[in-house]
Amino acid sequence: MLKKKGFIYPTVLAMGLSAVLAGCGGSDSGEDSDAISVWAMGEEGKLLNEMTAGYEEETGVKVNVQAIPWDQAYDKLLTAVASGNGPDVLQLGTTWVAEFADAGALLDLTEHMEEYPDFDLENYFEGAQTSMKYDDQIVGIPWYVETRTMYYRTDLLEEVGYSEPPATWDELKDAASKLTESGDNDNVYGLDIDLNDQITPFIFAWQNGFEFDAENPNFDSPEFKGALEYYTSYFEEGISTTSEGIDIVQAFKDGQKPIFFSGPWMINIMNDQAPDLEGKWAVAPMPAQENNLSSIGGANFSVFHNSEKVDEALDFIAYMNEVDTQLEWMEKSNTLPSRLEAWESPELAEDEMYSVFGEQLENTKGAPPVKEWERIAQELLASIERINIGGADLDAEMDEFNSKVKSMLE
């Protein structure tokens, strides 16, 4: 999952989680032994309680939802793996799937796929299919998805000669440079790049033709280094700032940061917090180099490995992934449906903002199914900080970064 939720990224203990699974007890089904237990994270966990009535009425099975803050979720899941006392159904951010699947915490759903045709991989965006699988097992079903697109001030771009949004890397650099130069003061930066966002460097790398090789890490390749050169050039040339500064919504309103990358949640935030900008901003697909790939994140539903209510858990996941339920969930949570069929509905297909996200979701990549991926991403951010703020040599940093990744994966 690539949406920022206040994550912590602790390192799994070297003892190996899979070793503690042997001999563990059954799953924690909550206070009611006849109910299925569901762990869901953050605001979604709170809202999910309002969505279970339909399933309960349809099946007669009660659902106990436990809402877990994102900053506590990782440690709570580790504890569940170690003790064997997990839920029947758990929500996992997509970048966590590989680590917990590798630990044996997730039930292999392969034998159940024929019985549940809605779980077929072809029902989901190609990018999301990556997070469904680990080592030839099906370990999760996409619940909701997100991707990154480009938010931009249409009025300000028009002033610097762009009646259409930048569609290529060269156009993005040119437009962002002109926006920076056109500002009334030194606090205007044509493109805002969040240095704490771990996914943006990988998006640029994918757009530059980079394909991660887990067997022989290749972060020292021309494709990856070229992408990092492009990324860091925005800071070198003063088009982006290493200082966080004021809130992005306020900076967007003021014209200080007229272009930025973000997910679908920003649509409602902009509408709510910047109503005076109506008609002066839009979203567009990511600008392209070799391609215009973006990331795909979100969350999956998985079944805990030793659940004693597998049938009920799968029925619940199937209910939540029905098209009508997904559209109802979108209305309630402002998250995007994972089912391709849901994107044919007018509320998505005919919406000028959401339809752009649907277009971008057709061109996405998910995080590689490597259990060390979170550590790799955080290590890259540290390298980028040394380049952008400390003045370190990019080639040397990427060579060192690649060596560290090789050591992680050995």
Side-chain angles (χ1 to χ4, degrees):
M1 184 181 64
L2 299 167
K3 182 197 269 188
K4 293 191 293 183
K5 295 278 189 178
F7 285 148
I8 332 177
Y9 300 99
T11 302
V12 176
L13 297 177
M15 62 181 281
L17 291 177
S18 56
V20 299
L21 289 171
C24 290
S27 65
D28 172 15
S29 53
E31 296 177 1
D32 185 343
S33 61
D34 294 326
I36 62 168
S37 60
V38 178
W39 285 2
M41 315 308 176
E43 288 301 312
E44 292 101 274
K46 299 174 185 176
L47 293 172
L48 186 57
N49 266 311
E50 303 171 19
M51 291 287 295
T52 59
Y55 170 80
E56 292 175 336
E57 291 172 8
E58 195 174 286
T59 64
V61 176
K62 183 173 173 54
V63 180
N64 289 333
V65 177
Q66 183 175 354
I68 303 169
W70 275 110
D71 59 1
Q72 299 174 22
Y74 188 97
D75 288 341
K76 188 171 179 67
L77 288 169
L78 290 185
T79 301
V81 173
S83 67
N85 293 318
D88 296 299
V89 177
L90 67 156
Q91 173 192 353
L92 276 182
T94 54
T95 58
W96 289 2
V97 170
E99 185 170 354
F100 286 95
D102 184 75
L106 310 181
L107 185 71
D108 181 7
L109 305 182
T110 304
E111 66 180 85
H112 302 282
M113 296 296 282
E114 188 173 341
E115 183 182 356
Y116 291 89
D118 286 354
F119 294 171
D120 190 280
L121 274 71
E122 297 304 315
N123 289 323
Y124 302 94
F125 290 101
E126 184 177 350
Q129 294 174 21
T130 303
S131 69
M132 298 175 69
K133 300 176 287 186
Y134 186 79
D135 279 355
D136 299 323
Q137 297 183 353
I138 303 295
V139 294
I141 306 299
W143 177 24
Y144 65 81
V145 294
E146 61 93 352
T147 189
R148 305 299 169 87
T149 63
M150 181 174 63
Y151 286 71
Y152 67 102
R153 287 283 300 270
T154 53
D155 55 340
L156 299 181
L157 270 164
E158 194 152 344
E159 289 177 8
V160 296
Y162 280 82
S163 58
E164 299 291 332
T168 66
W169 276 17
D170 288 344
E171 288 183 2
L172 178 62
K173 174 64 81 66
D174 179 67
S177 298
K178 288 176 178 175
L179 287 164
T180 302
E181 293 165 3
S182 69
D184 295 332
N185 56 56
D186 293 335
N187 293 321
V188 174
Y189 298 94
L191 174 65
D192 180 63
I193 300 177
D194 182 355
L195 281 173
N196 295 315
D197 186 0
Q198 66 187 44
I199 196 57
T200 305
F202 293 112
I203 290 174
F204 280 139
W206 295 331
Q207 291 172 354
N208 202 40
F210 174 71
E211 293 283 347
F212 175 63
D213 184 351
E215 299 297 322
N216 184 28
N218 53 336
F219 291 110
D220 56 354
S221 66
E223 293 82 5
F224 196 82
K225 284 185 176 180
L228 263 290
E229 287 171 0
Y230 180 76
Y231 174 100
T232 56
S233 71
Y234 281 89
F235 299 95
E236 292 172 5
E237 297 171 26
I239 304 169
S240 301
T241 176
T242 57
S243 173
E244 186 172 338
I246 63 174
D247 173 75
I248 185 60
V249 176
Q250 188 62 50
F252 194 63
K253 286 173 61 175
D254 293 346
Q256 293 182 17
K257 294 178 178 180
I259 305 176
F260 66 94
F261 308 130
S262 192
W265 56 88
M266 286 301 296
I267 293 175
N268 280 355
I269 291 174
M270 284 295 173
N271 287 335
D272 292 343
Q273 298 183 20
D276 49 321
L277 280 187
E278 184 178 358
K280 298 180 181 179
W281 66 278
V283 295
M286 296 294 282
Q289 177 66 342
E290 289 192 11
N291 58 67
N292 81 322
L293 284 167
S294 187
S295 64
I296 188 167
N300 291 2
F301 276 133
S302 295
V303 179
F304 201 65
H305 73 103
N306 60 351
S307 169
E308 296 175 358
K309 298 183 175 67
V310 173
D311 290 342
E312 293 88 343
L314 292 172
D315 287 345
F316 174 77
I317 296 172
Y319 173 81
M320 290 302 301
N321 276 37
E322 291 175 3
V323 170
D324 288 345
T325 312
Q326 288 215 330
L327 292 172
E328 182 184 350
W329 176 247
M330 182 191 75
E331 185 73 22
K332 185 177 294 292
S333 67
N334 298 318
T335 58
L336 301 181
S338 62
R339 289 286 300 272
L340 288 170
E341 188 180 344
W343 285 86
E344 299 172 7
S345 64
E347 53 261 61
L348 286 168
E350 298 175 9
D351 185 281
E352 62 179 358
M353 301 289 184
Y354 285 118
S355 61
V356 173
F357 279 90
E359 178 184 348
Q360 185 65 71
L361 281 162
E362 297 284 354
N363 293 288
T364 56
K365 285 182 76 73
V370 175
K371 62 186 175 68
E372 297 86 358
W373 190 251
E374 291 284 5
R375 293 170 57 202
I376 291 170
Q378 289 300 296
E379 191 64 49
L380 177 61
L381 289 187
S383 292
I384 288 172
E385 182 175 345
R386 288 191 289 271
I387 295 166
N388 283 331
I389 298 175
D393 179 73
L394 186 147
D395 286 341
E397 277 291 335
M398 289 303 98
D399 290 344
E400 178 64 21
F401 170 62
N402 199 61
S403 296
K404 289 179 180 178
V405 172
K406 284 184 177 180
S407 297
M408 290 181 199
L409 298 178
E410 284 176 354

